[in-house]
Amino acid sequence: MLRFMDWSVVVLGCALVLGGLAGRWWERTRVRKTESPDEGMRLLWSWFPFVMGLGMICARVPGLLRAPHLVVEVFDALNFVLALTALGFILRLGRRFLRARGTT
C-alpha cells in the first residue's frame, strides 16, 4: 500500500509538470494576441506547477527505483534547489501583492 502511495505522488508530480507545460504554452499563445503581458503573473502560473511537480518527482523516484545512495543525494540536492526556487516565486508574488495593495 505504501508503495502505491509513493507512486501516486510521482503521478501527481507528472500531472503538475504537464500542467505547468500546458500553462506555459497557453500563456505564450495568449501573449501573442494581447498587447501587454503581465510578466510576473505569467511567470508564476506557468513555472510554479512545473517546479513543484519536478520536486515531487525528484523526491520519490530515486528511492522507488532503489538507486544508489549517491544518486539519491544528488536528487535531494536538486530537490532543495527546486524548493528554494518555489520559495522565491512565493516571495516575489507576496511582494507584488503587498506593493499593489499599498498603492490603492
Side-chain angles (χ1 to χ4, degrees), residues 23-81:
R24 185 153 168 77
W25 173 77
W26 178 261
E27 288 296 325
R28 279 188 174 181
T29 58
R30 204 174 92 189
V31 165
R32 289 183 197 146
K33 296 177 183 176
T34 61
E35 294 296 320
S36 62
D38 186 9
E39 186 66 35
M41 292 305 288
R42 188 173 71 106
L43 178 76
L44 180 74
W45 289 114
S46 62
W47 282 104
F48 189 68
F50 180 77
V51 168
M52 293 303 293
L54 201 59
M56 291 171 73
I57 292 169
C58 287
R60 294 290 180 192
V61 169
L64 288 171
L65 297 179
R66 293 190 171 106
H69 186 68
L70 179 64
V71 174
V72 173
E73 290 297 321
V74 167
F75 273 85
D76 282 346
L78 177 65
N79 201 14
F80 180 71
V81 169

